[in-house]
């Protein structure tokens, strides 16, 4: 079955530590996205990528970094510069970035501070 | 900045009652998408509306897109316990610059009491 796989499901970060969240898709989608979800709030866009080797900042990119070396993979690194990283992180993909494209989401990674 | 407001934040209903959530944008939208997130799960795409005044139905769910393309609603008739979850609207502001930047509402959490 095609889908998006995020790992790990739960992640704990120590002070001053960088952590990387994995996102892999086998839907052959060109576009991939990272969102942050906090309780009582909608999804906020961190980064997006329309094509391999290209990515753009979203609304809340500070303290995060990404790479897109392969079409299938779009890992997100939460750096020590992100002072409030505790949240639910969702990766999504869509066939393209045209306005009519629905997004498909992974099961998410819940990140907490130790 | 561009915002999508969604009300109510929470709704508790008895099974069999109707439910409506409303979505309002500060700017004109190219389209509106609706997603459902079950507790502990990830958002799942339900439907997309693109035309002014458009109405679409999925069984007990009715979706509307306003004439001015700034608001939308989701109405569930005769709720069931399987309807429990958070319903998000998400729209693409006009102009989008060709990128499907979805602005998500904060969601309406629906609880259904048997």
């Amino acid at each position: 079955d095609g889908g998006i796989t995020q790992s790990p499901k739960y992640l704990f970060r120590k002070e001053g530590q960088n952590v990387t969240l994995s996102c892999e898709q086998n839907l052959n989608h060109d576009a991939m996205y990272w969102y942050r979800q906090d309780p009582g709030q909608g999804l906020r866009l961190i980064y997006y990528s329309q094509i391999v080797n290209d990515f753009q900042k979203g609304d809340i990119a500070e303290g995060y970094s990404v790479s897109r070396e392969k079409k299938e993979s779009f890992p997100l690194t939460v750096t020590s510069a992100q002072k409030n990283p505790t949240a639910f992180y969702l990766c999504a993909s869509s066939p393209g970035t045209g306005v009519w494209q629905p997004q498909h989401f992974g099961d998410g990674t819940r990140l907490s501070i130790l | 900045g561009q915002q999508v407001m969604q009300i109510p934040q929470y709704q508790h209903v008895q099974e069999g009652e109707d439910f409506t959530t409303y979505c309002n944008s500060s700017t004109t939208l190219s389209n509106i998408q609706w997603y459902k997130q079950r507790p502990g799960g990830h958002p799942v795409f339900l439907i997309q509306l693109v035309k002014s005044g458009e109405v679409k139905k999925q069984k007990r769910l009715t979706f509307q897109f306003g004439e001015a393309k700034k608001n939308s609603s989701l109405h569930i008739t005769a709720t069931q316990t399987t309807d429990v979850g958070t319903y998000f609207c998400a729209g693409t502001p006009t102009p989008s610059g060709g990128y499907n930047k979805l602005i998500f509402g904060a969601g309406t959490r629906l609880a259904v009491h048997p």
Side-chain angles (χ1 to χ4, degrees), chain B residues 3 29 44 59 72 83 103 110:
Chain B
Q3 283 191 324
L29 302 172
V44 174
K59 296 183 180 178
S72 180
D83 295 325
I103 309 294
L110 172 64

Side-chain angles (χ1 to χ4, degrees), chain A residues 3-70:
Chain A
I4 300 177
T5 302
Q6 287 188 243
S7 62
K9 190 169 184 178
Y10 299 95
L11 187 58
F12 298 91
R13 196 192 88 170
K14 295 180 182 178
E15 292 287 341
Q17 186 182 40
N18 293 354
V19 292
T20 298
L21 285 59
S22 171
C23 178
E24 303 277 332
Q25 56 101 356
N26 60 5
L27 298 167
N28 199 33
H29 286 173
D30 285 322
M32 297 187 75
Y33 313 83
W34 274 105
Y35 291 94
R36 171 178 171 142
Q37 186 175 30
D38 293 283
Q41 296 190 37
L43 281 64
R44 291 184 290 167
L45 182 66
I46 305 172
Y47 269 97
Y48 67 96
S49 169
Q50 300 182 66
I51 198 168
V52 174
N53 292 322
D54 182 65
F55 49 83
Q56 305 294 329
K57 291 182 179 180
D59 299 319
I60 55 166
E62 186 175 350
Y64 301 97
S65 66
V66 293
S67 63
R68 185 86 187 276
E69 297 177 0
K70 298 187 299 182

Side-chain angles (χ1 to χ4, degrees), chain A residues 37 59 97 99 101 103 106-107, chain B residues 31 35 37 42 98 100-101:
Chain A
Q37 186 175 30
D59 299 319
T97 55
V99 296
Q101 307 288 338
Q103 295 185 9
D107 287 336
Chain B
N31 63 334
Y35 292 80
Q37 184 174 23
H42 59 269
N100 184 23
K101 180 178 180 180

Side-chain angles (χ1 to χ4, degrees), chain B residues 3 14 16 34 46 56 62 69 74 78 80 87 94-95 114:
Chain B
Q3 283 191 324
Q14 288 295 129
W34 284 91
L46 294 177
K56 286 189 176 180
T62 301
K69 300 185 76 173
L74 158 58
Q80 300 175 358
Y87 293 85
T94 306

Side-chain angles (χ1 to χ4, degrees), chain B residues 3 10 16 19 26 33 36 45 69 77 79 88 98 100 108:
Chain B
Q3 283 191 324
Y10 302 100
F19 159 77
S26 56
Q33 296 179 0
K36 176 183 178 181
F45 174 77
K69 300 185 76 173
T77 303
T79 53
F88 292 96
N100 184 23
T108 296

